[in-house]
Amino acid sequence: NAGVTQTPKFQVLKTGQSMTLQCAQDMNHNSMYWYRQDPGMGLRLIYYSASEGTTDKGEVPNGYNVSRLNKREFSLRLESAAPSQTSVYFCASFISGANVLTFGAGSRLTVL
Amino acid sequence: RKEVEQDPGPFNVPEGATVAFNCTYSNSASQSFFWYRQDCRKEPKLLMSVYSSGNEDGRFTAQLNRASQYISLLIRDSKLSDSATYLCVVRGSNYKLTFGKGTLLTVNP
């Protein structure tokens, strides 16, 4: 099915471990996004990529890195996980013509 | 000032009530505006885009006031199935998409 696929769905890490969240979309969207969602905080933008080859910081980029590997894929890396990064992470893609932001199902990350 | 601010709620209303949500944004160059709905522990889904002239989709009406930099969502004749968190979203000129914190709506029988 067309859409945004993110993996893994669940992950438990120990403090200091690293991991990469993967995201891929097959809708030929130009822009891709990573958000985190914490209780009472809404969705906060971590990084986004307006188009292939570009990335920009959002509201809460510290502790994260991203790679726009190609038009389809946008990964989020935690180099040294901290308990404050325990959250639900959503990847999304957007195309201005249709003006629709489509989300993946989310990745629940726990850092102990 | 936060880029997007939204009524914190929560809103508890009886079935059949009319409820309104508001959202303000700080960047006057913002280009597109949306309302999203999020059910518990699920990904947000598009409810409706917001157009300058205002737009309606069934029981839902969205409005944009560029001069005052706010958008609104009106839900008429609330149903139990409308219970969810409603999120406003603002797109900047550089494709940055910023969400409000969301407003939790509970519609009671």
Side-chain angles (χ1 to χ4, degrees):
Chain A
N1 288 340
V4 179
T5 304
Q6 57 179 111
T7 56
K9 289 194 181 338
F10 300 95
Q11 183 74 49
V12 179
L13 291 177
K14 294 182 180 177
T15 296
Q17 287 185 316
S18 62
M19 76 158 298
T20 300
L21 295 171
Q22 307 284 357
C23 178
Q25 52 92 9
D26 58 5
M27 298 173 287
N28 203 34
H29 286 182
N30 291 323
S31 305
M32 297 186 73
Y33 305 80
W34 276 105
Y35 294 89
R36 61 176 288 174
Q37 186 170 37
D38 304 292
M41 299 296 291
L43 277 85
R44 292 184 291 170
L45 182 62
I46 304 171
Y47 271 94
Y48 68 106
S49 170
S51 60
E52 187 179 355
T54 69
T55 60
D56 285 286
K57 294 179 181 179
E59 304 164 75
V60 288
N62 292 344
Y64 304 95
N65 285 304
V66 290
S67 294
R68 183 75 184 266
L69 303 168
N70 47 53
K71 191 171 187 179
R72 289 187 64 246
E73 298 172 286
F74 188 40
S75 62
L76 178 71
R77 182 159 178 83
L78 288 70
E79 290 291 353
S80 179
S84 61
Q85 295 177 304
T86 293
S87 190
V88 179
Y89 291 84
F90 286 103
C91 177
S93 69
F94 180 81
I95 188 162
S96 60
N99 250 353
V100 177
L101 180 66
T102 304
F103 282 86
S107 299
R108 186 172 296 274
L109 174 66
T110 301
V111 183
L112 303 174
Chain B
R1 182 183 171 187
K2 284 195 175 292
E3 291 184 50
V4 180
E5 299 207 58
Q6 187 173 351
D7 282 348
F11 284 60
N12 285 281
V13 302
E15 271 188 294
T18 296
V19 61
F21 306 130
N22 292 313
C23 198
T24 59
Y25 59 95
S26 60
N27 184 354
S28 60
S30 297
Q31 299 201 344
S32 304
F33 309 88
F34 311 91
W35 284 100
Y36 272 71
R37 170 192 169 129
Q38 185 177 30
D39 294 291
C40 188
R41 295 177 175 267
K42 298 282 186 70
E43 70 272 24
K45 294 193 175 172
L46 178 67
L47 179 65
M48 57 198 303
S49 299
V50 187
Y51 302 116
S52 298
S53 55
N55 47 299
E56 193 172 299
D57 183 2
R59 298 181 292 109
F60 299 84
T61 300
Q63 292 196 311
L64 166 64
N65 185 320
R66 283 195 181 272
S68 301
Q69 294 180 208
Y70 77 83
I71 62 173
S72 64
L73 176 69
L74 183 77
I75 305 176
R76 291 182 300 278
D77 188 23
S78 300
K79 311 290 185 193
L80 295 177
S81 57
D82 293 334
S83 297
T85 296
Y86 291 82
L87 301 147
C88 61
V89 187
V90 176
R91 178 170 83 85
S93 57
N94 58 350
Y95 290 93
K96 184 179 182 183
L97 284 154
T98 304
F99 280 73
K101 284 190 177 181
T103 304
L104 177 63
L105 171 66
T106 301
V107 181
N108 301 304

